Amino acid sequence: MKYISTRGYEGKFTAQEAIILGIAPDGGLFVPESIPSLTDEDIEQMKNMRFCEMSARVLSKYLDDFSESELLEYTREAYSEEKWGEDPVPLVQLNSYNDREYILELWHGPTCAFKDVALQMLPHLMTASLKKTGENKKICILTATSGDTGKAALEGFKDLPGTEIIVFYPTGGVSEAQKLQMITTTGDNTHVVAVNGCFDDAQTGVKKIFADKEFNEELLKGGVKLSSANSINWGRLAPQIAYYVYSYVELLRQEKIEKGEAINIVVPTGNFGNILAAWFAKQMGIPVHRLICASNKNKVLCDFFSSGKYDRNRDFYKTTSPSMDILISSNLERLLFEITDGNSEQVKAWMQELNSEGVYKVDPQTLKRMQMLFVGGFADDTGVSKTILDVYDRTDNVVDTHTAVGFNIYNRYHQRSGDECKTVFASTASPFKFAPSVMDALRGDGYSKDKSIEELIEELSDESGLQIPEAIKNLSSKPILHKDVIDKEDMEAKVRSILLG
Ligand SMILES: *Cc1c(COP(=O)(O)O)cnc(C)c1O
């Protein structure tokens, strides 16, 4: 299978080439030329498969320049019991007297966020792709993070031969625990730099560096090639499709649904990567009734799904769900391409408008197509806080601030629509990562104010009965190894000095 650009670049690429490049030469995103299907036989066989086996099967349909057994070798390592526990992505019924709601816990990996699922896999795909394509340059992973990508990518690529990794995070735009996790990262090839500004500044800066031809040539001369670990990289997105397939198969296995029975999937959304993976699962044949796209107060996607107008010209809010504080959701470009039946001219024009004016509007037909499947909604911090308490009271589950955005929007959707389909909630982070906000929700506003992060983590563990994950323990006693703070204008210079000295 070949990969093409959403913006119409005439060349085609193998999966391995697309993974190495990260972004298409014309600035578009790579998409598969056609979307593979899961056969009835696949689904039947999957009922006897573990998650790593299912992942290898799903991936083999997209990355056909790898064999399924090679992929299985990688998924076995990426999702090992040592790193994830026995069940890497447990699907848990929310409470015993309601068989409608299920939580898909995606945060049992090394950094306690769903991004680990893809970022434990991407390094395997990247190194194998380099080897197979005979690439002899050093690869530098360049990434902007709203908090969780950074640490997950650092852990995935740390000390991986032939790679460097540079992570830019916005000052103040990430939670204390997220920041501590990043700046205490060890490893000889890891670089973590704070950028004055918000996530979009950091992401735009990174995209500019990728698009700067001269600079990239200068780096190539120095023996370095840039690539991305953001969800703009297909090798980062594809592994996420597997856990939505897994959810469906798991519900079949547990006899909660009949074969072919459609489910809803609720995804707390920022860059639109995770929910797009759910969309690909649907296109492969997983029956999905609604995809519920949950936003926080930065509700650009919610407005888009109701009006068809994508408008980033608005105030930016820092919320208690910082990994979703995003105004430019990059992966929407892939959905637009698919939903317009591959109209790359149109997609390119919209993206140019977004770039120059900060706004574009899709035609009524495209909007209608999206509205048939997607439901948008948003919740502010007060709503999120209430929802955390409500879910805890109702079910004894403590969910993190991001996952709570999903619950908040679903609850209102469910009341309004009367839609009784079985529903899977993507739970995207461990509540320990956002312990201050979660404890405020459970004990009252301002509760966390004079407490240390360690204290709050302990209390959360007592309250929830959950064990404190290794990755979160003793965060503030680890040595701080990364102290650089720069302005967004200086990002390119920083990359130059790190890579070329
Ligand atoms: C990254 C992240 C999100 C948003 O996911 P996207 O793929 O960017 O839409 C939601 N919740 C958490 C905890 C995250 O880390």
Side-chain angles (χ1 to χ4, degrees):
M1 177 183 307
K2 287 288 168 56
Y3 286 77
I4 53 176
S5 165
T6 49
R7 299 192 192 171
Y9 184 81
E10 68 273 22
K12 295 181 182 182
F13 299 81
T14 65
Q16 289 167 0
E17 289 166 340
I19 289 168
I20 294 172
L21 287 169
I23 193 163
D26 59 353
L29 304 188
F30 285 117
V31 281
E33 217 172 3
S34 63
I35 300 176
S37 315
L38 291 166
T39 61
D40 281 353
E41 200 189 345
D42 284 320
I43 300 286
E44 276 311 308
Q45 290 176 355
M46 282 177 174
K47 285 188 189 164
N48 298 313
M49 287 184 185
R50 297 185 308 135
F51 177 65
C52 62
E53 295 161 329
M54 243 186 253
S55 295
R57 173 66 57 89
V58 171
L59 284 170
S60 71
K61 306 217 173 229
Y62 287 97
L63 314 179
D64 60 359
D65 38 2
F66 295 94
S67 69
E68 189 171 334
S69 63
E70 276 174 297
L71 291 165
L72 183 57
E73 202 181 297
Y74 309 149
T75 55
R76 281 209 173 111
E77 270 183 52
Y79 307 128
S80 68
E81 190 167 335
E82 188 196 337
K83 284 179 183 158
W84 293 79
E86 207 178 326
D87 188 355
V89 289
L91 184 74
V92 183
Q93 186 168 331
L94 196 57
N95 59 32
S96 52
Y97 42 86
N98 155 1
D99 67 356
R100 180 170 35 87
E101 299 171 300
Y102 301 83
I103 298 191
L104 179 64
E105 293 183 354
L106 298 171
W107 41 262
H108 291 271
T111 77
C112 306
F114 84 91
K115 295 183 172 80
D116 285 325
V117 179
L119 282 164
Q120 284 299 310
M121 189 60 190
L122 182 63
H124 291 284
L125 296 174
M126 186 76 81
T127 40
S129 299
L130 290 171
K131 221 185 245 162
K132 287 174 179 244
T133 55
E135 180 63 62
N136 52 15
K137 303 242 173 349
K138 184 180 241 186
I139 292 289
C140 175
I141 301 295
L142 194 61
T143 283
T145 184
S146 57
D148 291 328
T149 299
K151 182 60 177 177
L154 288 162
E155 283 304 309
F157 283 93
K158 185 165 83 180
D159 291 329
L160 188 71
T163 68
E164 295 284 322
I165 170 159
I166 305 176
V167 169
F168 290 109
Y169 73 91
T171 50
V174 298
S175 85
E176 187 62 18
Q178 287 176 320
K179 178 175 160 183
L180 283 170
Q181 274 189 310
M182 286 191 279
I183 62 180
T184 57
T185 305
T186 55
D188 290 337
N189 66 340
T190 59
H191 312 272
V192 181
V193 182
V195 179
N196 290 314
C198 66
F199 171 71
D200 290 303
D201 294 320
Q203 175 163 260
T204 304
V206 163
K207 281 187 185 164
K208 263 192 201 146
I209 294 174
F210 277 114
D212 184 336
K213 287 215 173 74
E214 256 172 61
F215 181 53
N216 280 272
E217 261 156 40
E218 184 187 337
L219 290 177
L220 281 176
K221 271 189 203 137
V224 190
K225 194 167 180 167
L226 296 179
S227 189
S228 164
N230 281 99
S231 51
I232 54 175
N233 192 320
W234 182 255
R236 162 82 192 276
L237 200 99
Q240 300 180 25
I241 301 169
Y243 49 70
Y244 293 113
V245 175
Y246 176 83
S247 302
Y248 172 70
V249 174
E250 191 60 25
L251 286 171
L252 281 178
R253 261 200 296 234
Q254 295 179 15
E255 299 186 349
K256 301 295 182 188
I257 55 172
E258 311 269 338
K259 193 163 168 247
E261 183 178 334
I263 58 174
N264 295 322
I265 301 176
V266 182
V267 188
T269 297
N271 222 3
F272 209 73
N274 203 10
I275 195 165
L276 188 73
W279 184 85
F280 273 97
K282 178 186 185 312
Q283 296 310 106
M284 293 181 82
I286 298 302
V288 173
H289 180 58
R290 288 279 183 269
L291 289 174
I292 295 166
C293 176
S295 303
N296 66 21
K297 199 174 173 186
N298 296 296
K299 60 183 181 71
V300 71
L301 284 167
C302 171
D303 292 344
F304 177 65
F305 284 121
S306 75
S307 69
K309 185 169 153 199
Y310 194 99
D311 187 357
R312 65 144 306 178
N313 301 319
R314 58 177 71 211
D315 289 337
F316 172 83
Y317 300 102
K318 281 189 194 175
T319 72
T320 55
S321 45
S323 302
M324 294 156 60
D325 289 347
I326 290 175
L327 293 180
I328 302 175
S329 302
S330 299
N331 270 296
L332 192 59
E333 179 169 347
R334 284 189 167 113
L335 180 72
L336 291 171
F337 179 85
E338 299 291 345
I339 224 138
T340 57
D341 300 319
N343 188 343
S344 54
E345 279 300 305
Q346 182 61 76
V347 172
K348 189 172 166 182
W350 286 331
M351 291 306 121
Q352 272 165 357
E353 283 167 47
L354 180 63
N355 213 353
S356 56
E357 317 293 328
V359 53
Y360 62 89
K361 189 165 177 155
V362 300
D363 54 280
Q365 192 200 353
T366 301
L367 176 61
K368 208 164 155 205
R369 279 191 171 185
M370 291 189 298
Q371 285 173 336
M372 282 164 67
L373 180 64
F374 287 90
V375 176
F378 83 101
D380 65 10
D381 286 352
T382 312
V384 167
S385 197
K386 275 189 190 150
T387 301
I388 291 174
L389 187 60
D390 168 65
V391 173
Y392 183 51
D393 283 345
R394 210 155 50 86
T395 72
D396 262 355
N397 274 282
V398 178
V399 295
D400 94 289
T401 44
H402 303 74
T403 307
V405 175
F407 274 97
N408 182 297
I409 283 124
Y410 173 77
N411 288 344
R412 281 182 284 147
Y413 165 74
H414 176 243
Q415 274 175 7
R416 200 174 63 229
S417 67
D419 174 352
E420 293 296 324
C421 289
K422 305 282 190 296
T423 298
V424 171
F425 295 86
S427 178
T428 50
S430 156
F432 288 106
K433 266 194 126 155
F434 304 94
S437 306
V438 172
M439 286 309 289
D440 282 346
L442 297 178
R443 298 280 170 81
D445 217 12
Y447 178 80
S448 66
K449 222 169 101 216
D450 299 315
K451 303 208 167 200
S452 73
I453 181 119
E454 258 81 18
E455 253 177 297
L456 292 161
I457 286 171
E458 280 294 338
E459 288 185 19
L460 179 54
S461 175
D462 289 343
E463 175 85 46
S464 64
L466 294 170
Q467 268 189 357
I468 304 172
E470 272 313 308
I472 304 286
K473 274 185 192 154
N474 308 320
L475 266 184
S476 33
S477 56
K478 288 184 184 158
I480 291 170
L481 303 171
H482 306 272
K483 296 178 181 157
D484 286 347
V485 184
I486 62 167
D487 288 328
K488 61 181 178 185
E489 294 76 24
D490 301 329
M491 287 169 65
E492 186 170 299
K494 188 76 206 171
V495 173
R496 184 182 285 112
S497 85
I498 289 172
L499 295 177
L500 303 178

